[in-house]
Amino acid sequence: MTAAPTAKRADAQRNIQAILDAAAVCLSKDAAASVAEIAQAAGVGRVTLYGHFANRAELIDAAIARAIDEGDAALAATDLGGDPRTALVRLVRQSWSAIVQIGALMSAGAATLTPERMLELHSRPVSRVEALVRRGQEAGAFRSDLPTTWLVSTLHRVMHGAAEDIDAGRLAAAQAPSAIVATALAAFTPPGHPVPSLEEWS
């Protein structure tokens, strides 16, 4: 009696994952990708897609939420203790690729979701980075003449800027971690203090 419902739920889960996978790929390539294009890429019909996601906005929300959850898992697995500068370098090197992938979906989200919802989706990973930056400011490792939130936003923009440059062929993916680290350390170092060289953190 339970075999059929169980199989149906498993099929539904496979369809949902296929749709979200297809949405991530399609929206990363084209922020205006349609529901029909995403359904085709997922190998399902539009009726099946709409059975799981009521509209395009709900689908985009789910795709971004999943990508951010994956990025946050990378942050959660990263040791952010010890010297704040060393922790910042570890954070960038361990999570930059996930952040770059999330960035590819952001234009679709910005065009579809409200700013409030975008902030809500980012709240958990942002809070982790804010805690690290605040600790670095209190220890004198990071500049305290600028707000914590501004420094976090700066790091966020640098990471997404790296994603854009990789897509445009201006930056090799292998060079991205070092470029992000060097830029972040320069931006975070207190005025009058020497900016650490990349060799110190290799």
Side-chain angles (χ1 to χ4, degrees):
M1 295 293 291
T2 60
T6 299
K8 190 172 182 180
R9 283 195 296 272
D11 285 343
Q13 279 303 118
R14 280 193 294 272
N15 284 339
I16 290 171
Q17 293 308 312
I19 291 166
L20 291 176
D21 289 343
V25 172
C26 292
L27 292 168
S28 294
K29 293 178 179 176
D30 177 9
S34 67
V35 167
E37 291 170 326
I38 293 170
Q40 183 178 20
V44 302
R46 290 178 64 183
V47 172
T48 298
L49 188 151
Y50 280 123
H52 298 296
F53 303 99
N55 50 53
R56 185 172 179 274
E58 187 175 302
L59 172 57
I60 290 173
D61 188 299
I64 292 175
R66 188 182 71 162
I68 288 177
D69 282 346
E70 291 170 353
D72 187 55
L75 285 179
T78 302
D79 177 13
L80 298 182
D83 185 297
R85 293 166 298 181
T86 306
L88 176 67
V89 174
R90 283 197 298 266
L91 181 150
V92 170
R93 289 184 172 162
Q94 293 297 321
S95 65
W96 79 270
S97 58
I99 301 298
V100 164
Q101 289 170 3
I102 293 168
L105 293 171
M106 288 304 102
S107 3
T112 308
L113 307 179
T114 65
E116 292 77 17
R117 178 55 180 160
M118 292 290 282
L119 286 173
E120 181 183 355
L121 286 167
H122 282 89
S123 61
R124 192 166 64 243
V126 166
S127 67
R128 294 183 193 276
V129 183
E130 282 183 349
L132 169 60
V133 173
R134 191 173 297 110
R135 184 167 69 81
Q137 289 176 312
E138 291 169 354
F142 298 153
R143 63 190 306 158
S144 57
D145 58 327
L146 294 174
T148 302
T149 51
W150 176 254
L151 294 180
V152 172
S153 294
T154 299
L155 178 61
H156 178 86
R157 292 186 184 98
V158 169
M159 285 186 161
H160 289 301
E164 291 173 3
D165 275 16
I166 290 170
D167 288 342
R170 294 188 293 265
L171 179 67
Q175 296 175 321
S178 293
I180 295 167
V181 165
T183 305
L185 287 173
F188 284 24
T189 298
H193 290 229
V195 176
S197 66
L198 281 177
E199 287 73 19
E200 295 180 49
W201 310 103
S202 301

